[in-house]
Amino acid sequence: MVKSEKFHMSTEQFREEGKKIIDWIADYYEQIENYSVMSQSKPGELLNKLPKAAPANGEPFDEIIRDLDEKIMPGITHWQSPNFFAYFNANTSFPSILGDLVSSGLGVQGMLWATSPAATELEIRVLDWLAEMMQMPAQFKSTSTGGGVIQDTASTAALTAIIAARERATNFASNINGLEEKLVAYVSTQTHSSVEKGIKIAGIGKHNLRLIDVDKNFAMQAHLLHQQIKEDKANGLVPFFVCGSIGTTSSTAVDPLPEIGQICKKEKCWFHVDAASFGTAMLCPEFRHLANGVKLADSYSFNPHKWMFTNFDCNVFWVANRQELINTFSILPEYLRNKATETGEVFDYRDWHIQLGRRFRSLKLWFVIRHYGIEGLQQLIREHVRLAREFEKWVDESDDFEVVVKPAMNLVCFKHKAGDAFNMLLMNTINDSGKIYFTHTKLNDQLVLRMNFGQTHMEEKHVKNAWELILSTAKMLSAK
């Protein structure tokens, strides 16, 4: 007989090594600005350092930590650096890390209410809190016809909405009779690529995805949407899904949700709203006008892991009618049957999304909300928006740079007047220096630089240093 204690880490060892890891994380945050923001690793560099075979026998924990420092850290791009201005943030905070640690420690698999009632009921309450904190429509609360569920990402939320919309459009028969080729979905040319991916995965096909042109502010033109829907119906097709955005990826454009929502209501299309990054700003009353029209939505999604200081992954997905999700995703094999489920008095979140298994994600969100409070979260969001306005002002005052799109929130799209090649060279030169990290996009076929201001520990000094670096590098490159 093998004694298992020979292989397992004891609680005393766990206590000792766990304290070391907490210290390691704390040290990392104290030193984070000393790292090159973007990893300087070359392709295959880490692979060449790692042994090709796993160890036959367990190794001392100190050796693992040493390899973490020497081998893993050089290949890390530091998303939590206050000098990270790229993409949209994937933020975290110490309360969130601790909440995630508790979740990992408990090791809950919360697929059913019965498998851990607290995992389900905390999620219900926290998402109702958020709905109230953001003044979301009443139907998104658990006390009404809908409710919220935590998904991993906005991509999965979009796919979930697409599948539920598909089932509603086919009277929940597509998995019985097969999927008709006639279903058609609609997005703007600026909608996140995850929706196209979801359309492909759901079997609708890219050929049945319509890209609606945008206006000068890169927002969907509602009249063109309606025109396209009418044309498709005249051709015997079945419009079934429309995605509107509160903050597109390239430019943070906000689609005309009231107009789109009315069209969807008239034409019987599922209306999904993607507010992946901007959703957090709805904590502040002065920004809630961006969500006008959300009351017409069938589903709404935003990522606390982007701008609400909750570590990846954590997506909030609200629906107006939870029964449509349950009718779409519920399968009850014998081994999942239990008394609580059969009473119908509980939420079984496995019926609200694609996967069966679920982590206890609501713990980290609960920790964050309780640590910062509503006012603390609001003040941090407002400060990030203020810093974006400051950066925008500096760009406007510059002779060599210009703002491309009027910022709606905390992203500034700008460019050097010297043209696309110069802007790409400028960005790559700065990113390669490791001092800051930012990214680009294309708008109207022009290369545009993007600076996102939402990192947890970012301060005004970091924004000033970034602007000075951009100016000095541009001057240096112009002189060559």
Side-chain angles (χ1 to χ4, degrees):
M1 178 182 290
V2 175
K3 293 186 176 181
S4 61
E5 57 265 28
K6 173 183 176 182
F7 300 101
H8 292 311
M9 181 182 283
S10 69
T11 54
E12 193 52 45
Q13 282 178 298
F14 174 71
R15 196 184 308 277
E16 181 181 344
E17 303 300 348
K19 289 175 181 176
K20 290 180 185 177
I21 289 294
I22 291 291
D23 285 341
W24 186 93
I25 294 171
D27 289 345
Y28 169 66
Y29 277 88
E30 289 179 345
Q31 302 163 9
I32 197 166
E33 292 189 62
N34 297 329
Y35 291 100
S36 170
V37 184
M38 188 172 74
S39 171
Q40 305 298 302
S41 285
K42 302 294 187 292
E45 190 171 319
L46 176 59
L47 281 172
N48 292 330
K49 292 179 181 178
L50 296 172
K52 292 185 178 179
N57 298 301
E59 299 175 324
F61 211 74
D62 284 345
E63 288 187 20
I64 299 174
I65 298 297
R66 186 176 66 245
D67 281 353
L68 178 62
D69 287 326
E70 296 177 359
K71 296 177 181 178
I72 303 301
M73 289 304 286
I76 296 294
T77 288
H78 299 280
W79 285 70
Q80 305 312 317
S81 169
N83 295 310
F84 186 99
F85 301 95
Y87 307 108
F88 286 127
N89 297 96
N91 276 349
T92 189
S93 62
F94 292 142
S96 179
I97 293 169
L98 293 174
D100 215 23
L101 179 62
V102 174
S103 176
S104 295
L106 291 173
V108 164
Q109 212 285 46
M111 56 188 176
L112 302 168
W113 178 90
T115 59
S116 271
T120 295
E121 294 189 12
L122 182 65
E123 189 162 333
I124 292 170
R125 182 49 48 88
V126 166
L127 298 193
D128 279 353
W129 277 2
L130 272 175
E132 186 65 33
M133 289 160 65
M134 296 176 166
Q135 292 296 289
M136 298 301 291
Q139 63 263 33
F140 288 160
K141 292 184 181 180
S142 67
T143 51
S144 184
T145 56
V149 59
I150 297 179
Q151 308 269 12
D152 51 7
T153 65
S155 300
T156 301
L159 175 59
T160 303
I162 290 165
I163 295 172
R166 182 193 74 191
E167 293 308 296
R168 187 172 76 178
T170 60
N171 198 26
F172 302 94
S174 68
N175 284 307
I176 299 172
N177 303 323
L179 183 61
E180 296 184 42
E181 286 286 323
K182 294 183 177 181
L183 295 179
V184 186
Y186 306 83
V187 298
S188 88
T189 57
Q190 298 295 306
T191 301
H192 193 271
S193 59
S194 61
V195 180
E196 178 184 333
K197 189 173 184 178
I199 289 294
K200 292 177 179 178
I201 294 171
I204 307 301
K206 185 179 178 181
H207 62 290
N208 283 335
L209 177 65
R210 304 289 187 258
L211 304 183
I212 307 302
D213 281 340
V214 294
D215 61 21
K216 63 180 181 179
N217 296 315
F218 303 100
M220 182 189 289
Q221 297 189 64
H223 71 282
L224 294 182
L225 167 68
H226 205 184
Q227 181 179 313
Q228 183 65 60
I229 288 175
K230 289 178 178 178
E231 181 179 325
D232 287 331
K233 289 178 72 174
N235 290 326
L237 300 175
V238 181
F240 84 107
F241 177 86
V242 179
C243 180
S245 298
I246 302 178
T248 56
T249 301
S250 284
S251 66
T252 62
V254 177
D255 291 331
L257 304 185
E259 291 91 337
I260 295 172
Q262 289 295 344
I263 293 168
C264 289
K265 186 176 181 180
K266 180 179 180 180
E267 303 296 345
K268 296 182 173 57
C269 291
W270 184 289
F271 182 28
H272 176 65
V273 176
D274 180 359
S277 181
F278 273 13
T280 298
M282 302 309 118
L283 289 167
C284 302
E286 65 268 31
F287 301 137
R288 289 179 193 152
H289 64 278
L290 297 174
N292 288 344
V294 164
K295 64 182 179 181
L296 297 168
D298 293 284
S299 55
Y300 179 98
S301 160
F302 89 100
N303 290 333
H305 68 231
K306 276 190 167 66
W307 200 11
M308 201 174 156
F309 319 111
T310 305
N311 55 295
F312 194 87
D313 51 9
C314 184
N315 166 269
V316 171
F317 179 62
W318 280 303
V319 290
N321 184 350
R322 59 180 174 266
Q323 199 58 47
E324 291 177 324
L325 285 186
I326 295 168
N327 290 347
T328 298
F329 294 106
S330 181
I331 298 176
L332 189 60
E334 187 60 35
Y335 52 80
L336 291 181
R337 292 184 181 278
N338 65 88
K339 184 177 179 181
T341 295
E342 289 171 2
T343 66
E345 296 176 356
V346 300
F347 284 6
D348 284 334
Y349 273 132
R350 67 175 186 101
D351 295 332
W352 291 50
H353 48 44
I354 296 161
Q355 74 273 18
L356 171 64
R358 10 186 24 257
R359 292 185 289 113
F360 200 169
R361 292 187 183 99
S362 59
L363 263 178
K364 58 189 176 186
L365 195 52
W366 189 51
F367 272 43
V368 166
I369 294 171
R370 294 191 65 184
H371 172 81
Y372 289 104
I374 298 172
E375 290 186 4
L377 292 168
Q378 288 173 334
Q379 292 308 312
L380 290 168
I381 296 303
R382 287 168 176 148
E383 176 62 6
H384 288 163
V385 174
R386 185 190 73 80
L387 292 174
R389 295 292 83 77
E390 280 290 294
F391 188 88
E392 177 195 8
K393 184 184 75 173
W394 299 335
V395 174
D396 279 335
E397 292 171 350
S398 167
D399 292 330
D400 298 321
F401 289 88
E402 60 184 341
V403 174
V404 177
V405 184
K406 183 70 176 175
M409 197 66 60
N410 65 325
L411 178 79
V412 179
C413 293
F414 69 110
K415 65 178 181 178
H416 194 282
K417 296 175 182 178
D420 287 3
F422 185 88
N423 278 290
M424 184 62 80
L425 176 62
L426 174 64
M427 183 188 72
N428 288 336
T429 301
I430 292 173
N431 286 344
D432 288 345
S433 75
K435 295 178 181 177
I436 69 170
Y437 183 30
F438 64 118
T439 47
H440 75 285
T441 188
K442 278 202 168 182
L443 295 171
N444 290 334
D445 294 323
Q446 290 186 327
L447 190 138
V448 176
L449 304 175
R450 297 169 77 259
M451 290 283 286
N452 184 54
F453 303 91
Q455 210 291 317
T456 303
H457 300 291
M458 182 189 67
E459 299 175 12
E460 186 162 357
K461 65 180 181 180
H462 300 108
V463 179
K464 285 182 177 178
N465 289 340
W467 178 237
E468 289 170 3
L469 178 61
I470 291 168
L471 287 176
S472 61
T473 306
K475 185 176 181 180
M476 179 268 291
L477 292 174
S478 296
K480 285 188 176 181

